[in-house]
Amino acid sequence: MSDFPPPPPPNIPPPPTGAAPGGYVQPSRPFQRIGGLARPLVAVMGAMAVAQTFSAISGVRAVRNARRFLDGTISEQTYNDAVARVGIGGLVMPLTIAAAVLTMMWMFRIGANLRAMGRQGLSWAPAWGIWGWFTPPCISVVPWLVLQEQWKASDPDIAPGDPTWKRRAVSPLVHAWWVLYGIVPLVSTVAGVGSIVDNLRTAIDNGLDQSATTQAAAQQLVDGRNLNLVSGLAQTAAAIVFLLLVRQQTARHMRCTGEA
């Protein structure tokens, strides 16, 4: 008698190898990885939050110097030197450019993955993750709508053919980011137009003399100090909120595609 066990009966299915995520299917083309983009994007947004904070502090100092110049406490040259001094807040622009490029790539890949997965009923093509940032009005309406759809469609617990993903709730971070990044700066700009026009008219009435122009700019800083501070703090908060959104959406989408 053989010591080996008898062979298994035919037509017995193999044991399961582990359950795949609920939203995962064999894609029509390979999924694009987003984890490698999300990490530098999160780092850039963190750096931007710090730079925005220092920029807001620099704005408070600029208002103080503008008041001293208008009162005659400091000379025009001293005031101009103080305004020209660039600190860490000067990093906001290059960080913004880096964040924009990484965000567009990140959103494009998520959109492409959702298409490859076969998610039904998508309204926004992957390219809108790029071109949406260049479409008017300039309050990021299209990116806001794309981010909403991508959040819902990345639900790993809904199969690709299930249309109920459209009824899923959107993360509050998406709406909070839009208010802080799009609405608050727009309101601040509109509210400050009157002061800008008045000070420009004063400079023109004085023949656009250099000193008159400098005084008008200093007066504009003083008049708009509260709006500028609110807008600066809103930009700091927007960077933090978007950082959190990127982290949560990346984890959610990676579960959906099975990215390790």
Side-chain angles (χ1 to χ4, degrees):
M1 182 173 182
S2 173
D3 293 332
F4 293 100
N11 301 326
I12 297 297
T17 58
Y24 179 80
V25 295
Q26 187 66 33
S28 60
R29 55 186 178 276
F31 288 131
Q32 300 186 48
R33 302 178 68 84
I34 65 170
L37 283 174
R39 285 187 289 273
L41 178 54
V42 166
V44 167
M45 296 310 301
M48 186 180 296
V50 174
Q52 289 282 11
T53 301
F54 276 91
S55 181
I57 295 173
S58 298
V60 173
R61 293 174 179 169
V63 170
R64 187 182 303 120
N65 287 324
R67 281 175 170 166
R68 294 172 65 195
F69 166 61
L70 294 172
D71 293 342
T73 306
I74 61 175
S75 67
E76 181 178 345
Q77 185 61 48
T78 302
Y79 170 70
N80 287 333
D81 291 343
V83 171
R85 196 174 298 121
V86 178
I88 193 173
L91 295 174
V92 170
M93 183 53 66
L95 287 172
T96 299
I97 295 173
V101 172
L102 290 169
T103 297
M104 291 176 192
M105 294 173 63
W106 178 74
M107 291 177 66
F108 179 87
R109 290 189 182 185
I110 290 177
N113 286 344
L114 294 173
R115 296 270 171 166
M117 179 191 304
R119 184 68 82 194
Q120 300 296 313
L122 294 169
S123 301
W124 300 95
W128 281 109
I130 299 174
W131 301 119
W133 296 92
F134 301 99
T135 55
C138 300
I139 52 175
S140 305
V141 171
V142 173
W144 173 55
L145 295 174
V146 174
L147 285 169
Q148 289 185 64
E149 180 173 88
Q150 290 185 349
W151 177 274
K152 293 180 180 181
S154 294
D155 192 329
D157 297 323
I158 298 182
D162 188 346
T164 61
W165 66 267
K166 289 189 173 184
R167 298 198 293 269
R168 292 287 176 156
V170 177
S171 169
L173 292 173
V174 176
H175 303 309
W177 166 80
W178 184 57
V179 170
L180 292 168
Y181 182 81
I183 301 300
V184 173
L186 177 65
V187 172
S188 299
T189 300
V190 172
V193 166
S195 174
I196 295 173
V197 171
D198 290 342
N199 291 319
L200 180 60
R201 185 182 295 114
T202 299
I204 293 175
D205 291 342
N206 286 278
L208 293 178
D209 177 74
Q210 180 63 42
S211 295
T213 302
T214 303
Q215 288 183 349
Q219 189 63 55
Q220 181 183 330
L221 275 176
V222 173
D223 293 343
R225 61 190 181 278
N226 293 331
L227 286 174
N228 291 335
L229 180 60
V230 169
S231 181
L233 294 176
Q235 294 304 296
T236 299
I240 295 173
V241 168
F242 195 69
L243 181 156
L244 297 174
L245 174 61
V246 169
R247 292 185 62 181
Q248 292 188 18
Q249 169 66 334
T250 298
R252 179 183 177 89
H253 189 76
M254 288 174 64
R255 284 179 57 209
C256 196
T257 61
E259 181 178 340

